[in-house]
Amino acid sequence: MNNYIIFTDTGSDILPEVLTKWGIPSLDLTFKFDGDEKEYLNADMDVLTFYERMRKGGVAKTSAVNMERFRVAFEEILRQGTDILYLGFSGGLSTTSNSARLAADDLRDNYPERKITVIDTLCASAGQGLIVYLAMQKKNEGASMDEVAEYVKSLIYHIDHWVTVDDLVYLKRGGRISPTVAFVGNTLGLKPIIHVDNEGKLVSVDKIRGRKNAINHLAQKYAELARDKTAGTIFISHADCEEDAKALAELLKSNHGVEVTHITYIGPVIGAHAGPGTLALFFVGKER
């Protein structure tokens, strides 16, 4: 029943050593700074070094995992007689999940006795990490791959992503806001609140004045939308603003008596677009 593995990618922002502990292999999306010849994997550059380069004006661009890398990785697992449940980075933000789907389609004829299930989680950062974690728990309870896949599908539209960024310049670079909006927003100290919608895309839903108010707003979203406010599973990710992540966790604990399950860094692939100082909250909600 359990001769399968859960597989993911670094869009999940779960550290490699944590994924190893969970028994979950992954593939890296890559990033490259303008002016550099080298294309980096996450392991090639410390995340603090990455954000320091961004703060000094470095502009990073990212690349999806291609079909061939998935094909090679998947085939190695299939040869061992193991099925694969891949839980991927949102197709609304990356072609990575589609590359996995193409690789799976290419391999099925050669391994007809094996099963490869590819699910676009429509999630990003530790929202994807949260759904991987919950799937792993279900697997550890003895659920079959099909049962875990159905469980994941039932969760997808209930994984809430609530994000605030600290500096609008990075959204401006990515073309998500205009230079004028970025200038005015930074001048007024406005902190956008960003959400991942049911298509797995980033949407700006509010602008809050001041960092403390923005953090409070994330906590308010938890109070409004969490399916189980006192015993839910909560993940937080941050782009080199650990104290803010801890402050948010403490706010949730004091308001609802709930402990945050996991705090992790936002890796370079997500951080390249959101910038240092980004803070994000993820939980299972009544809706997204």
Side-chain angles (χ1 to χ4, degrees):
M1 177 181 285
N2 286 315
N3 194 26
Y4 69 94
I5 63 163
I6 297 169
F7 197 109
T8 193
D9 56 68
T10 54
S12 69
D13 281 339
I14 303 298
L15 292 173
E17 56 266 33
V18 176
L19 288 175
T20 298
K21 182 180 178 181
W22 293 353
I24 297 172
S26 69
L27 283 179
D28 281 71
L29 287 82
T30 58
F31 64 96
K32 182 179 180 180
F33 277 98
D34 284 356
D36 282 3
E37 293 295 325
K38 181 176 175 61
E39 191 166 29
Y40 298 94
L41 303 176
N42 278 6
D44 294 334
M45 183 180 294
D46 179 79
V47 69
L48 299 181
T49 302
F50 173 81
Y51 286 121
E52 185 60 27
R53 286 192 65 171
M54 287 196 76
R55 289 188 176 102
K56 291 179 178 178
V59 177
K61 296 178 180 177
T62 62
S63 297
V65 184
N66 62 37
M67 172 187 166
E68 180 60 18
R69 288 178 61 209
F70 272 118
R71 194 191 65 74
V72 171
F74 285 173
E75 187 164 29
E76 183 177 345
I77 294 164
L78 297 173
R79 283 175 178 162
Q80 298 169 12
T82 303
D83 295 336
I84 300 167
L85 174 59
Y86 167 73
L87 306 179
F89 187 23
S90 173
L93 299 171
S94 173
T95 60
T96 296
S97 286
N98 191 54
S99 294
R101 185 172 291 108
L102 293 172
D105 290 344
D106 187 58
L107 288 164
R108 284 193 180 98
D109 286 344
N110 293 333
Y111 297 89
E113 73 287 1
R114 298 269 58 85
K115 183 179 289 186
I116 316 171
T117 299
V118 173
I119 298 178
D120 177 352
T121 67
L122 300 176
C123 294
S125 189
Q128 180 184 344
L130 172 57
I131 213 166
V132 168
Y133 172 81
L134 294 172
M136 177 268 295
Q137 286 193 315
K138 200 76 170 176
K139 179 179 186 289
N140 290 346
E141 290 169 5
S144 69
M145 190 168 97
D146 288 344
E147 289 169 338
V148 175
E150 289 306 309
Y151 173 65
V152 166
K153 290 173 185 176
S154 76
L155 284 174
I156 285 175
Y157 297 109
H158 295 277
I159 302 296
D160 273 68
H161 302 57
W162 294 98
V163 186
T164 185
V165 302
D166 194 45
D167 192 330
L168 295 173
V169 68
Y170 304 104
L171 294 178
K172 180 196 75 173
R173 285 178 185 171
R176 297 194 179 276
I177 60 174
S178 71
T180 301
V181 168
F183 175 77
V184 172
N186 279 338
T187 300
L188 296 177
L190 296 179
K191 309 299 179 184
I193 303 297
I194 297 169
H195 177 51
V196 174
D197 66 13
N198 282 342
E199 295 180 352
K201 297 178 180 178
L202 290 172
V203 290
S204 180
V205 294
D206 214 338
K207 294 183 179 67
I208 306 297
R209 180 168 290 184
R211 180 69 164 182
K212 184 176 180 180
N213 288 336
I215 295 172
N216 287 335
H217 192 80
L218 299 188
Q220 289 167 14
K221 285 298 180 183
Y222 180 82
E224 292 170 16
L225 294 170
R227 183 184 283 175
D228 184 346
K229 287 191 282 288
T230 60
T233 304
I234 306 168
F235 279 26
I236 293 174
S237 63
H238 67 91
D240 195 21
C241 54
E242 188 173 10
E243 291 307 310
D244 287 343
K246 290 178 179 177
L248 176 57
E250 185 56 38
L251 192 56
L252 295 172
K253 182 177 180 179
S254 62
N255 289 349
H256 307 291
V258 65
E259 296 280 354
V260 170
T261 306
H262 191 67
I263 297 177
T264 187
Y265 276 96
I266 295 173
V269 169
I270 307 292
H273 303 283
T278 298
L279 179 67
L281 172 67
F282 311 92
F283 54 91
V284 179
K286 292 173 279 190
E287 59 186 21
R288 274 205 179 192

